[in-house]
Amino acid sequence: MTSIAEAITRAHQEEWARVVASLARRFGDLDIAEEAAAEAFTVAVERWPLDGVPPNPGAWLTTTANRRAIDRIRRESKRDDKQKEAVAMHDDTPHEPLGAIEDDRLRLLFTCCHPALAPEARIALTLRMVGGLTVPEIANAFLVQETTMGQRITRAKNKIKAAHIPYRVPEAADLPERVSGVLAVLFLVFNEGYLSSGDHENPVRGDLTLEAIRLTRLVRVLLPEDGEVAGLLALMLLIEARRTARVSANGELVRLDEQDRGAWDLALIGEGHALVRERLAVVANGGPRPGRYQILAAINAVHTSVRDARDTDWSQIVALYDQLIRVDSSPIVRLNRAIAVAELDGPEVALAEIDRHLGSSLDEYHALHATRADLLRRLGRSAESRAAYDRALELAENSAEVALLTRRRDQLGRA
Amino acid sequence: MAKYLMSVWGADSIYEEENYGYASEEEMMRSFEATGKFNDKLQQEGYFVFADGLDAAKTATVVDGQGEKPVITDGPYAEAKEYMAGFWIIDVPDLDVALKLAAEASAACLGKVEVRPMQTGPEA
């Protein structure tokens, strides 16, 4: 890549959200902001190779985008005298400034993740407006037709405008709930990358996991004191660190205990551990109790702190799952706790716990049956194990998981 | 400020039931009282434009005045399982305020509340 192309890529990564956010605030219209920002980057691609990279790319892009936006509003107000529509997404409501967290990008993020938008629209809008991914990129990531994805984003933008979804950081009283909504969107993006659903050629989508991490880093810059933001970032880093070790050369999922730990990314693990330690210190000093992301990060920190899977401190992991169940008692958390229990108290105890979920909503979840199959195999109950693998394979979508489950099933002796 | 319609929905059959679909008379009275209090609060905060409960959908009449002579038909516009049974019109700063009020309205009247923006945008 030439240095100009690199500068444009870097400017896109660093400045896109800022440009869109400041224009959205100034013109009160996401559509105008998005289009003008995209145009400014097109101009940069044309001009920078000729004129050189401007000393302050962000300011250059914002100024260029501002001019484009004003041009568009002038054109439209000439066509029909509805200039007022451009201020539909207004910001005239008095609210307490929240000091350091008052940042246009944060407003943009909260607007894109507003609970009145459908969850899939929140994800798409966040990736487009804050992440700067193109509509074809987002469509490809979620295996959706480009036109469908385009409509989803347009519909969400229209709702924001028509329903007057405010462009602002929520009031302090609503902040925890709304931050948790933003984090849920980012975690969904990450998970889609980490374990792609659907019949995707890539079982792990590094582009999505990296984008989710980038956006979570941004939220961390904007909300440095929020424990769950730190927790989610740590969790993502500790999972991302294992990405290359997680799928074998022949495309099969490699479980944590069988991974080549030498292939883990130590820099990411170090960063993740530092974040977990930071939160532990806050909690130890009487700070707020950790939420689910902090606890999940702590669990992943325990896993990633030993070079040999056999040295894993399972009692600590079970204790952390007990803590997690107190904030999130969902069946999936109980399932994961049972997996840890199997390591501590043996497969029989874990199987009894897991079998309680047969016939529940978890019955449709491939991991339940994959876990049962594994426990039954370890207990020497081959025929039951085979049936459980078959059921897991019916439900599994991810190609690397299917490969692993198929091999495990086929390794069972003939019953 | 932006205006929204907040509507409550229910089956038409509730109008024939003793307690209008509520589990008991006490529950109905509690709900009426809570809804009255909510309306008072809306007025105090300056968000109230209008509110009322609707009579049964089967008492509605549809008129088509597009032809030479108006065509009058008995019954609601569309057959449905549930119809609008009551509504508020509120005038508030934005959707966040509307959603908060809708949650209070829902808890008071014991039903789900739909929040729908009016097309008239904020006044300049």
Side-chain angles (χ1 to χ4, degrees):
Chain A
M1 221 193 294
T2 67
S3 63
I4 301 275
E6 271 170 28
I8 290 171
T9 305
R10 196 166 51 241
H12 193 266
Q13 284 183 355
E14 288 169 4
E15 305 295 345
W16 168 271
R18 217 189 294 267
V19 176
V20 173
S22 78
L23 263 69
R25 175 145 157 76
R26 173 156 179 204
F27 299 103
D29 187 304
L30 279 185
D31 223 10
I32 288 174
E34 177 200 0
E35 194 184 273
E39 283 178 17
F41 278 94
T42 308
V43 177
V45 170
E46 285 164 11
R47 297 305 318 170
W48 292 7
L50 303 172
D51 306 343
V53 178
N56 184 342
W60 187 96
L61 287 161
T62 305
T63 309
T64 308
N66 262 315
R67 281 201 202 109
R68 295 284 163 145
I70 291 164
D71 285 349
R72 175 173 158 181
I73 291 166
R74 285 209 186 110
R75 274 199 313 274
E76 285 182 0
S77 63
K78 248 179 226 164
R79 206 166 52 218
D80 53 6
D81 199 32
K82 282 173 116 183
Q83 198 161 356
K84 259 191 268 173
E85 282 202 355
V87 290
M89 207 178 67
H90 61 309
D91 181 43
D92 61 357
T93 47
H95 66 281
E96 293 293 307
L98 291 165
I101 69 167
E102 196 70 20
D103 181 294
D104 286 340
R105 287 174 298 176
L106 204 52
R107 294 165 181 255
L108 184 62
L109 196 57
F110 279 114
T111 304
C112 291
C113 296
H114 196 276
L117 299 170
E120 66 270 20
R122 289 179 221 165
I123 293 172
L125 207 57
T126 301
L127 288 174
R128 175 73 194 120
M129 295 296 172
V130 190
L133 271 64
T134 63
V135 173
E137 280 169 342
I138 303 167
N140 180 49
F142 291 93
L143 299 169
V144 179
Q145 293 273 326
E146 224 175 283
T147 47
T148 311
M149 188 52 83
Q151 283 161 0
R152 188 178 294 174
I153 292 172
T154 304
R155 194 168 161 258
K157 284 190 294 193
N158 288 344
K159 176 158 184 185
I160 289 171
K161 202 174 191 174
H164 310 287
I165 289 179
Y167 188 58
R168 65 149 184 258
V169 172
E171 291 165 28
D174 298 333
L175 206 54
E177 185 73 28
R178 294 287 306 278
V179 169
S180 119
V182 170
L183 298 184
V185 166
L186 297 176
F187 198 36
L188 279 171
V189 172
F190 184 84
N191 277 334
E192 186 53 33
Y194 177 63
L195 199 65
S196 301
S197 58
D199 187 19
H200 209 284
E201 58 193 40
N202 302 317
V204 180
R205 306 285 318 275
D207 49 351
L208 283 181
T209 56
L210 291 177
E211 184 59 27
I213 289 172
R214 199 173 71 80
L215 292 176
T216 309
R217 282 189 195 282
L218 171 64
V219 180
R220 165 118 173 114
V221 168
L222 302 170
L223 299 169
E225 305 294 325
D226 190 297
E228 281 296 87
V229 174
L232 179 62
L233 179 57
L235 174 62
M236 288 178 175
L237 293 171
L238 294 174
I239 296 174
E240 177 69 13
R242 312 195 295 258
R243 173 151 60 98
T244 50
R246 220 173 133 261
V247 180
S248 71
N250 50 13
E252 195 178 289
L253 188 76
V254 184
R255 290 183 0 163
L256 191 53
D257 56 329
E258 293 176 338
Q259 283 176 13
D260 169 13
R261 298 192 171 207
W264 286 358
D265 186 323
L266 294 179
L268 292 181
I269 288 177
E271 196 188 345
H273 283 186
L275 283 165
V276 171
R277 277 196 299 273
E278 178 191 311
R279 292 313 307 170
L280 286 174
V282 170
V283 173
N285 286 320
R289 291 161 72 96
R292 65 186 289 252
Y293 297 121
Q294 288 169 82
I295 300 169
L296 282 168
I299 291 169
N300 277 273
V302 175
H303 278 303
T304 48
S305 62
V306 288
R307 298 291 288 166
D308 188 325
R310 284 168 300 188
D311 296 334
T312 306
D313 183 351
W314 288 105
S315 63
Q316 201 181 351
I317 287 179
V318 171
L320 285 164
Y321 271 117
D322 286 338
Q323 207 182 334
L324 183 57
I325 282 175
R326 286 199 284 275
V327 288
D328 174 7
S329 64
S330 69
I332 290 182
V333 173
R334 291 180 181 277
L335 174 65
N336 285 321
R337 182 185 176 278
I339 294 171
V341 165
E343 299 300 327
L344 198 63
D345 299 333
E348 215 146 351
V349 179
L351 188 65
E353 163 66 26
I354 284 173
D355 280 354
R356 299 211 327 247
H357 297 292
L358 289 172
S360 76
S361 60
L362 263 192
D363 215 347
E364 299 295 310
Y365 182 46
H366 70 273
L368 173 87
H369 300 284
T371 307
R372 276 196 86 233
D374 189 50
L375 295 170
L376 288 162
R377 179 180 59 81
R378 285 157 66 182
L379 291 165
R381 290 156 67 175
S382 305
E384 290 167 85
S385 174
R386 181 186 306 277
Y389 276 124
D390 285 339
R391 180 84 181 112
L393 279 162
E394 274 170 37
L395 297 167
E397 285 184 336
N398 183 274
S399 62
E401 273 197 305
V402 167
L404 170 70
L405 293 169
T406 306
R407 183 172 62 80
R408 283 280 164 89
R409 182 192 59 187
D410 295 347
Q411 278 174 343
L412 287 170
R414 287 186 180 278
Chain B
M1 298 290 275
K3 290 195 188 75
Y4 298 85
L5 172 73
M6 297 199 301
S7 52
V8 197
W9 297 67
D12 227 26
S13 57
I14 59 169
Y15 292 91
E16 272 124 60
E17 288 172 26
E18 207 172 331
N19 297 313
Y20 291 96
Y22 291 97
S24 64
E25 196 186 332
E26 295 80 66
E27 191 189 87
M28 180 173 72
M29 296 316 290
R30 261 204 317 276
S31 174
F32 286 177
E33 197 194 326
T35 307
K37 271 193 189 147
F38 172 69
N39 288 342
D40 291 346
K41 189 188 148 223
L42 274 185
Q43 277 178 331
Q44 279 158 21
E45 288 173 337
Y47 296 147
F48 185 91
V49 177
F50 185 80
D52 215 334
L54 295 175
D55 212 322
K58 64 173 176 296
T59 64
T61 311
V62 173
V63 182
D64 186 352
Q66 298 169 94
E68 224 172 283
K69 260 170 56 181
V71 178
I72 292 171
T73 321
D74 172 47
Y77 176 76
E79 287 299 329
K81 276 194 186 140
E82 298 199 312
Y83 297 95
M84 195 189 290
F87 67 93
W88 290 263
I89 293 170
I90 54 170
D91 195 5
V92 295
D94 58 47
L95 187 68
D96 280 356
V97 178
L99 295 182
K100 273 212 173 103
L101 293 172
E104 290 175 36
S106 169
C109 75
L110 302 179
K112 285 188 190 175
V113 171
E114 180 188 296
V115 180
R116 190 162 161 183
M118 305 255 165
Q119 249 187 335
T120 43
E123 271 100 70

